[in-house]
Amino acid sequence: MRVLAIIAISTMSAGATPASARDWLVGDVARFEKMVPRLQPGDTIVLADGEWRDASLIFRGDGTAHRPITLTAQHPGRVVFTGKSSLKLAGRHLVVSNLVFRDGHAPGSDVIAFRTDAKHWAEHSRVTGIVIDRFNNPDRRREDHWIAIYGSDNSVDHSHFEGKKNAGAMMVVVRQKDMPLDNRLRIDHNYFGPRPPLGSNGGETIRIGTSTESGSDSHTIVEDNLFEECDGEVEIVSVKSGGNIVRRNLFLRSQGSVVLRHGSGNLVEDNVFLGQGVARTGGIRVINERQTIRNNYMEGLAGTDFTSAIAVMNGVPNSPVNRYMPVRWATIERNSLIGAARLTIGAGADAERSQPPRETRFAGNLITGAGGQDPLRLEADAGGGVAFAGNVLDAAGAATPGFTRRSIKLARAKNGLLYPVDPALGAVGVRRDLSHITREQVGVDWYAKPASRTVAFGEGPVIRIAPGQALASAKLGGVLELAPGEYPVTTPLVVRHPLTVRAVPPGSATLRQQDATLFQLEEGGSLALDGVVIDAAGAPNSAGNAVIRTSTRPMLGNYRILVTNARFEHLDGAPRFDVLATTPGTLAGDVTIRNSRFAEVSGAVLALTAETGKEGWYGAEQVTISGSQFDEVATIADMLRAGTDESTFGPRFTFSGSAVTGGGAIALSGVQETSIVGNRFRDATGIRIAHSVGSPHTLIRGNILERTPPPVVRELAYQGPPRAVIADNEKGL
Ligand code: CA
């Protein structure tokens, strides 16, 4: 690292600045450490522009309200922490600004922590203008936080966060009994950018407290932030303390909800949720006592159940602190739910969560259903303890006291939000003066906010290959277009970028697999196979071969597999020959198979059982198979998601319009959404489903089950009959 002399930069306006205030420019960690003990109120320590690799800074000091001690960059955005880097601060009236963390990850549990050790934390301190961009531990299962806020009266503002992919809530407010519990933090004007589904619990973006201390008030304010395509898991903001305010935030196409998980007396108001019809976009989930939800605008939210636009949960009588305290004395008024897929009162009702909400007021809300459907669900007679009044609902359905069902004509106002045209509805739904934050008002102006980062299949250069030419495994990316003919492949093709392998015309090119693996996916890799024939007759006679195999090391990125118009043949020369074999620490964001044929497979087309722990990791978020044929395939899909945690949307499995002859087992354990519709099974092993997570949805309908045993559905945790719709299946001839 460069060594610069410590120099005092003259203060800008000598007249206004106390004579003792100094700016100190430092160029390496050793100089920084030497300077820190000498810092006086009003001083600024300036990090020299450049890369700070493997730098762990400890910033201590005591400033004053009028003369804080500042740590900043020589120029905003030009000080970049890489490698294993972190920053810890402790003291009073500290300001940290204009730093970037990229191309690395935290050496310990936090990137930035408002404490240096268990006894020293920060108060009245501010972290502002920080960028943390994909600063991820390469093992997605290793948990860390990007910002851990300890102490009291601290703030994180105007910062930019994007692309957290490993486990652990991105930003946590830590409240523990040897620190101030009434900690009055502010989280405002931040950009919380795109983040993919994690595939386990611990994918929250903000968590305020934990259940242990949730009986006390934090008085933290989360306001004027933008959450954009910020997925992770079911909770975007997880409130686990009392007396907090979540207001004026914009949630844009983000899967999950603001969840009042633990703690009472929280206020959620003036937020704007724009789901734009994206699946699993949610609003606000209400648990506990004295919660107020008002003047929130929600448009195009597609979430249901726990992720409904508004979900008021059933509670557990005499609930342990970490379960579900019943809802009581909630006020939910003047919210607008436009084109909502679902509004659920009594969500999660089951044998344990048997206490419906009580003494709750739900009034003056304006509601229209998505596609004219009725979004209102009162689960398990949960409406009895809720006073519904003056709500207006535009959807056909049964008369419900407290709701006027009528058509509502809407017009978009200058603020971009929809309001009823009829002046009689002027006092229903959100107020006219509601506005939402813009992209320009959050984060920093010197670091670009991302466009969508997903590279589509078929993008990039098209490389045409003819038989006899080697399939170079070095630069596989973009599109490989195979001319008709035979392609022997003797060593695995290593895929590190989105790659499409296409035969023109379809069915004319055959890849002859001659090694245990044909495609090896590594970090960054995704694979589309279109129109190709994979023939594995020449593969070695050893157990555990695979056409596609995920990395032996964990993969941070959620990879994708797309198989269309393809044929797979002779995968039976050795036992347990899979088409897709997966490894721990990897997650398929999407696996889609269409119009393809699989014949003689001794293992599984999709072997998704590598994760077996109770933490609830799993191998694929979404699997969709349609219009395909499986002949003498031992197993079509073997999927496992262990544990009972309810933090994820996946895994999901859809199988439709396909034909199965011989074998063709479908074994799903812990899958949350299953649809097996309109298939023909002949002499097949059958469908076995085990439910373990939350409230699964399983539909097995309109299949022909010829000389095939009926589907078996078991409940591993839920006390009661198996929850599945199994209907209109025929035995065939
Ligand atoms: Ca969670």
Side-chain angles (χ1 to χ4, degrees):
M1 187 169 288
R2 283 150 300 126
V3 178
L4 291 187
I6 299 170
I7 46 169
I9 305 170
S10 63
T11 49
M12 263 70 64
S13 50
T17 311
S20 61
R22 298 152 299 179
D23 285 4
W24 302 97
L25 180 70
V26 298
D28 61 32
V29 174
R31 301 282 176 174
F32 175 85
E33 288 175 348
K34 215 166 178 176
M35 273 311 304
V36 166
R38 299 200 229 161
L39 294 169
Q40 298 295 319
D43 282 358
T44 296
I45 186 161
V46 180
L47 304 185
D49 288 352
E51 181 180 352
W52 289 63
R53 173 165 286 276
D54 299 330
S56 292
L57 302 188
I58 293 182
F59 179 39
R60 287 197 189 93
D62 284 303
T64 67
H66 295 291
R67 302 171 71 203
I69 300 174
T70 301
L71 164 63
T72 192
Q74 194 176 357
H75 294 93
R78 293 202 209 155
V79 171
V80 181
F81 287 88
T82 65
K84 292 181 182 173
S85 292
S86 66
L87 170 66
K88 296 177 177 178
L89 53 151
R92 295 168 68 79
H93 298 289
L94 303 174
V95 177
V96 176
S97 66
N98 298 341
L99 308 176
V100 177
F101 291 82
R102 201 173 51 205
D103 303 323
H105 63 90
S109 57
D110 312 299
V111 179
I112 297 179
F114 283 70
R115 73 165 189 181
T116 52
D117 56 57
K119 292 209 168 78
H120 300 90
W121 56 84
E123 296 183 349
H124 298 280
S125 294
R126 179 179 181 204
V127 165
T128 181
I130 299 298
V131 173
I132 306 182
D133 181 0
R134 289 163 286 170
F135 203 66
N136 294 311
N137 192 301
D139 185 344
R140 63 188 300 131
R141 300 163 297 182
R142 292 285 290 273
E143 183 172 329
D144 59 26
H145 309 299
W146 282 2
I147 306 272
I149 316 177
Y150 294 82
S152 65
D153 304 284
N154 297 316
S155 69
V156 177
D157 64 87
H158 295 88
S159 291
H160 173 128
F161 308 103
E162 65 166 291
K164 188 162 200 302
K165 294 177 180 172
N166 64 313
M170 205 220 80
M171 182 181 294
V172 288
V173 170
V174 186
R175 306 171 70 243
Q176 48 197 43
K177 60 180 183 306
D178 52 349
M179 284 185 191
L181 288 174
D182 184 0
N183 47 359
R184 301 180 299 272
L185 308 175
R186 293 177 58 85
I187 299 167
D188 66 275
H189 293 90
N190 298 293
Y191 176 71
F192 296 101
R195 161 174 204 182
L198 175 64
S200 175
N201 186 18
E204 303 90 346
T205 291
I206 299 176
R207 176 166 57 68
I208 305 171
T210 58
S211 61
T212 316
E213 304 294 337
S214 62
S216 58
D217 289 353
S218 172
H219 295 125
T220 287
I221 297 174
V222 179
E223 66 182 11
D224 298 319
N225 300 286
L226 168 57
F227 299 81
E228 184 172 44
E229 296 173 15
C230 196
D231 299 341
E233 59 143 273
V234 296
E235 298 175 279
I236 303 172
V237 178
S238 180
V239 175
K240 295 188 170 179
S241 50
N244 302 293
I245 299 174
V246 179
R247 68 184 167 205
R248 297 195 309 263
N249 301 286
L250 172 60
F251 297 86
L252 200 55
R253 297 187 300 279
S254 294
Q255 291 185 2
S257 306
V258 172
V259 181
L260 303 178
R261 185 66 188 84
H262 300 297
S264 293
N266 294 290
L267 171 63
V268 183
E269 67 175 346
D270 303 343
N271 297 285
V272 173
F273 297 78
L274 303 176
Q276 299 180 356
V278 172
R280 293 166 287 282
T281 46
I284 300 163
R285 178 148 60 102
V286 184
I287 305 152
N288 308 293
E289 299 181 343
R290 294 181 287 106
Q291 315 284 29
T292 301
I293 317 300
R294 66 185 179 214
N295 205 47
N296 296 286
Y297 180 90
M298 302 161 162
E299 184 180 338
L301 297 182
T304 57
D305 293 337
F306 284 18
T307 314
S308 299
I310 292 179
V312 183
M313 283 196 72
N314 254 33
V316 177
N318 304 311
S319 175
V321 69
N322 64 346
R323 292 301 292 159
Y324 290 83
M325 185 184 282
V327 172
R328 203 168 186 190
W329 303 302
T331 301
I332 302 167
E333 60 186 15
R334 291 206 61 176
N335 302 286
S336 292
L337 286 63
I338 310 293
R342 199 61 53 82
L343 156 62
T344 307
I345 310 292
D350 61 18
E352 183 204 18
R353 288 181 291 233
S354 62
Q355 175 62 62
R358 286 173 292 172
E359 290 151 279
T360 283
R361 180 174 162 77
F362 189 99
N365 298 289
L366 181 87
I367 304 152
T368 75
Q373 302 275 315
D374 186 1
L376 180 61
R377 294 286 186 282
L378 304 179
E379 303 284 355
D381 299 323
V386 181
F388 295 105
N391 303 292
V392 179
L393 171 55
D394 185 352
T400 313
F403 289 85
T404 301
R405 290 187 185 261
R406 53 162 285 187
S407 81
I408 306 169
K409 190 166 187 291
L410 298 167
R412 214 168 276 285
K414 274 213 179 93
N415 63 3
L417 309 181
L418 289 165
Y419 289 88
V421 173
D422 183 349
L425 298 178
V428 183
V430 297
R431 292 192 312 266
R432 288 267 165 184
D433 61 359
L434 181 62
S435 64
H436 65 72
I437 199 92
T438 64
R439 284 181 124 220
E440 292 69 36
Q441 291 170 298
V442 298
V444 294
D445 57 12
W446 44 262
Y447 201 91
K449 298 180 179 69
S452 176
R453 288 199 178 275
T454 306
V455 179
F457 285 123
E459 282 182 11
V462 177
I463 299 167
R464 293 192 171 79
I465 307 266
Q469 281 178 272
L471 289 166
S473 72
K475 287 177 189 164
L476 289 174
V479 180
L480 274 189
E481 198 170 283
L482 306 183
E486 305 266 320
Y487 297 82
V489 183
T490 54
T491 54
L493 302 170
V494 180
V495 181
R496 302 179 194 278
H497 306 281
L499 170 70
T500 299
V501 181
R502 180 195 294 158
V504 180
S508 65
T510 299
L511 294 173
R512 295 205 173 274
Q513 177 172 351
Q514 297 181 352
D515 200 349
T517 304
L518 180 54
F519 293 99
Q520 175 72 49
L521 290 189
E522 295 294 339
E523 185 71 58
S526 281
L527 181 64
L529 298 173
D530 182 26
V532 296
V533 179
I534 310 274
D535 190 321
N541 182 12
S542 53
N545 292 343
V547 176
I548 307 166
R549 194 187 302 278
T550 55
S551 178
T552 56
R553 288 178 300 178
M555 294 166 68
L556 265 180
N558 296 352
Y559 68 91
R560 290 165 289 144
I561 301 287
L562 173 62
V563 175
T564 49
N565 314 309
R567 286 202 333 255
F568 297 75
E569 297 168 352
H570 305 117
L571 281 72
D572 61 351
R576 300 199 323 278
F577 199 138
D578 299 327
V579 174
L580 172 64
T582 59
T583 45
T586 64
L587 177 67
D590 187 88
V591 176
T592 298
I593 297 172
R594 279 196 307 267
N595 192 33
S596 293
R597 178 168 185 258
F598 301 81
E600 299 102 29
V601 178
S602 63
V605 172
L606 303 176
L608 293 160
T609 58
E611 299 283 3
T612 55
K614 291 268 183 269
E615 306 82 17
W617 292 97
Y618 49 88
E621 186 72 12
Q622 168 83 50
V623 170
T624 308
I625 301 173
S626 62
S628 292
Q629 196 177 332
F630 300 84
D631 298 326
E632 302 303 329
V633 167
T635 300
I636 295 171
D638 194 358
M639 295 176 72
L640 171 63
R641 196 280 199 196
T644 58
D645 170 83
E646 294 173 291
S647 295
T648 62
F649 291 110
R652 304 186 298 277
F653 178 83
T654 300
F655 188 74
S656 65
S658 294
V660 179
T661 304
I666 295 177
L668 311 176
S669 182
V671 172
Q672 302 209 61
E673 288 180 35
T674 300
S675 169
I676 300 175
V677 173
N679 306 285
R680 170 185 281 271
F681 295 84
R682 180 189 294 154
D683 300 310
T685 312
I687 300 162
R688 295 193 317 278
I689 291 175
H691 290 153
S692 55
V693 184
S695 38
H697 295 268
T698 294
L699 174 67
I700 304 173
R701 168 172 277 165
N703 301 287
I704 296 170
L705 303 168
E706 193 179 332
R707 295 192 299 274
T708 295
V712 176
V713 179
R714 291 185 303 144
E715 295 288 347
L716 301 182
Y718 175 76
Q719 304 294 316
R723 297 164 293 177
V725 176
I726 303 178
D728 309 329
N729 300 296
E730 294 172 29
K731 284 194 173 164
L733 298 172

